Amino acid sequence: MADHALGASEHESTTPSTIKTHSDDDASTIPPAVGSDKANGFRLNLRDALSPDQTNEDMYHVDNNKFAFSPGQLSKLLNPKSLDAFYALGGLAGLEKGLRTDRHAGLSVDEQTLDGSVSFEDVAPKGVPKHGTLGDALPTPKTDDGKGAPGPAHHVDTSGQFADRKRVFKDNRLPEKKSKSLLELAWITYNDKVLILLTAAAVVSLALGLYQTFGVKHEGGEAKIEWVEGVAIMVAIFIVVAVGTLNDWQMQRQFDTLNKKAGDRTVKVIRSGKSAEVSVFDIMVGDVMHLFTGDMVPVDGIFIDGHGVKCDESSATGESDLLKKVPADQVFAVLESIARGAPAPPDVDKLDPFIISGSKVNEGTGTFLVTAVGVNSSYGRIMMSMHTDQEDTPLQKKLNVLADHIAKFGAGAALLLFIVLFIKFLAQLPNSTATPDQKGQNFLRLFITSVTVVVVAVPEGLPLAVTLALAFATTRMMKDNNLVRVLKACETMGNATTVCSDKTGTLTQNKMTVVATTLGKSLSFGGTDAPLEEPDEKAEKPVEITIPNVPVTEFVKNLGAAIRHLLVQSNAVNSTAFEGEADGDKTFIGSKTEAALLTFCRDHLAAGPVDEERANANIVQVVPFDSAVKYMATVVRLPDGRFRAYVKGASEILLARCSRVVSDPEGQDEIATADMTDNDRAIFAQTITSYAGQTLRTIGSSYRDFESWPPPELEGIQELTAAQFDKVHKDMTLVAIFGIKDPLRPSVIDAIKDCRRAGVTVRMVTGDNILTGRAIAKECGIYKPSEGGIAMEGPVFRRKSEEELKKIVPHLQVLARSSPEDKRILVRTLKELGETVAVTGDGTNDAPALKMADIGFAMGIAGTEVAKEAASIILLDDNFASIVKGISWGRAVNDSVKKFLQFQLTVNVTAVVLTFVSSVASSTEESVLNAVQLLWVNLIMDTFAALALATDPPAPSILDRQPDKKSAGLISTRMGKMIIGQAICQLAITLVLNFGGSSLLNYDIHSPDRLIAEHEQRRLSTFIFNTFVWLQIFNELNNRRLDNKLNIFEGITRNYFFMVINLIMIGGQVLIIFVGGQAFKITPLNGKEWGLSIGLGAISLPWGALIRLFPDAWAAALVPHIRIPRPNVWPFNRKKQQDEEKQRPVSSSEGEKQEEFAAPPLRTLTSIRGARAAKHVRRGLHEYVHDSKARMMGRSKVSVAAAMARMGDAASGPGGGGIFVEGKGKGK
């Protein structure tokens, strides 16, 4: 299926972008009525045009079809692109009639079920077989053999609006990927080799226990409880699996919700003759849909009409060239003439009316008729084959490497423990009086203890913690209007050092209003406020503005009919915005600048509906807006036969191209113009400067009349672009300069203060005039010339050399009149300087900068679909303040993982050392913490602690510190001193209690009465176990802070998870002590022992405060003296190190390319723990499709040698085996 959907037929040699044609070999299959042209090899083959393929035979079967076509017949249009199928279906007219729609009015909003039906014969050219080579017979659908068969059944609600249409053609949704059930998740969680090994040992222990209980004679009064230990271990394993399963299920639900939200967006269609915005999921076959520059096409269709539409179909077909779309009626006319016997034109293969889902509109505007949606669309069928799981984020990969080091330490300790205990066991055998089954039970006990050390030591909670933190953060970020598309952006955002922000709509409200206008040289209104930004001192002395300024009502009264018509037509025709409804109110939908101008025309100049104005104008050509030249143009034919080009754009650019100006606004029949003098030009330049200084966006409007079109300068040019229009963009007549107010967002000033406090530099990148940019940047606190801040224009910036850029960029605060290329250069330079860059963008041309940045923010409201596709995070409200919330959440994710890591490593070290020492020192080879107790500790430190510490929301103080560097390690000096300090404290307390507790607390463990001695020993062991758990509970509280501040309770009331989970842990511990009995091998404690246990556990808090007061510099100075070198005895390590020494250093950009395509680290001991320990995140469909297609098209090729080298590097992890772990890579 994928091959067909991608447009590459097995038996054809056409490239994906060319139109399907047939060679001379097919001559025998062509009906005699169909023409051909042997000169260029093109002919229409209608006999085979609609033949079913093996992949779509099921799509031909439709019960009670009220339309002329089945989804299978329509799929032949793009399977691959086929002019044969287009002609066979009757062209646009046939599709329009057969799909029961209207190319101008679209579908009716009142349509539900349809009366009657339309047959294929009513719309198709005469003699065209309905099902190709099968004639009128329906194909027999094959059973699903797994070879390209359609995806899972997709059930559609066929009631309500468009009921028949949804029943036949489906809706624009893909079937949801089946989520794993609780049982499946439980199996994944249990599919952990160490847990399975532990289960096997527990089963053997239970079997021996049952034999001892029921098969061996007991002395009078001796309890028959030998079976309890095996059952207790099984119950503990069950609880660990159950809690892990519920965690994974919750995370799965959160990420499923996130993926659904990420796929939803609105598109513009025509229904009942009016443009309307609908959800992308509600597009129907038969809809007439708008195309705008920057759109990502969500469905298949046929191009109706438009201006200069060019599509990038590389994501759908792999072909990188931009393809110009030809109106369907023009294509059908050519095909019809060929069918009558006329020769095919030489460029027949360029006749392309096909709109492919998944392609991007790079240029132009237009409309198209939807022919396939959802599972029936070409892109939908590709996506159906690509459901898969989420990849690890960089933080998870770094944690996996660290987890391997910890696991090696734990496994080594467990192996050594087993060897020592086994030797002791063997040494004691000759003098042992135990029965064989007791000896077997003793051996199993020491084996289970050793295996349990591995369970405790292998930190499967590390990837769980980062996944929980990401799941929690992404869900909460959605409420803060940050839709995270790429998970790694969430964690990278916390370390952003600079934000390059757009102005319009991000720093401002994007609620634009025309508040000032200068019409020609004789009339103006508004724009008289004092400027916030004065022009440069070096600039020429300002001239006096002599143009009369009147109130807007008087301004409108003084306009004659001719100038009114000129203003209305120049704004209505030369615009892509249209009338529609938003929140129940009539408004203009599209560019906010254009909407402001159209609103001005409607409210003050009595303009009619925009659609009427455009229909009344004879539009000849449209030059879409180009950010490189900062203007757009539309050419119309005037009633007298002449042609007029309207131009709208950046006022200073248009002013430079004008040689005349409107002189008399009161003319009724003709527009009076005059030559523009130097004084006039100076006045207009001063007007632009004055408007810009008042934070107004200035837009110029001009026109020029031509006797013929195209003029001689443009003869022979088939596609008119802004660059080619430049040839005639001269000798223009200036109509007006508009001043548009876009108020600053109320929250922006505080948000920028927060950024400065957090060590994040904000830079404004705007397409506006430099004076407007500086004024607004000053108003919101970005531009600080007193601190050495620089404001620069794009044309000047892009001409700087690399060395000059690196000197300027650190001080650059405002980049005005910037192009997308300027933004890309800025991002590249900042990254070369070692910055972690976040950048905002909304236009199609912003995509390279969004992709290049560490974190790309696309605008959810104003952004094009191409920009959203390139971005990592979508700002749903386009608000800069939401970026600051994103920084806070990013830091919270990183902090949460580090808090958990700090806690986990402390417990790891303490539990492993305590178990090892107490087991070796024991005469019976028993650890002070038995297997069931260790499993409870493992549950506390892995699952419960991950839930408690990974769900801390960001505190306000999280922005009171500088961002971490890219090279910063996972474990900082501050964390290291806390881990070591708390481990020393916990080991000191537990080991003193283990070896001296009997004498300190008067436990009579040496009593001659064996029962009393055993009871006292159990009381002491219970007391140590209780104290150990309370040490962990208080240390978890202590780990809520990573810095050296002493208030560990900050924000605790805002994290209900933390409070509830700690209550569960405390409740569980109390329950275990009182009723755990034989299962945990403990005995209830009295009040004094409880008080001592809690009191000793609470020592963690003051001890933590003392550690915080210990200077970091002193702790760092101790590191070299306690670093333990890793013995280099493994021969492959030596080889790898030699290879590393030979490798040259890579630049940051090269490193990022390698990192992007490197395989995740090879797992060692954590892979033994099974799928759940190795990975916890499910891959979002949207992101994976994007990556997979890039790889399929060969655009992202990496040599096998380089990939293997990276895998080797990742597997070995950071060098050195020291206590403080240095991070590797950029820490994105």
Side-chain angles (χ1 to χ4, degrees), residues 166 412 636 964:
K166 284 191 281 190
V636 300
D964 292 337

Side-chain angles (χ1 to χ4, degrees), residues 356-379:
I356 300 184
S357 51
S359 61
K360 304 166 188 173
V361 183
N362 271 46
E363 297 177 16
T365 58
T367 54
F368 75 100
L369 178 67
V370 178
T371 59
V373 297
V375 293
N376 296 330
S377 68
S378 53
Y379 197 57

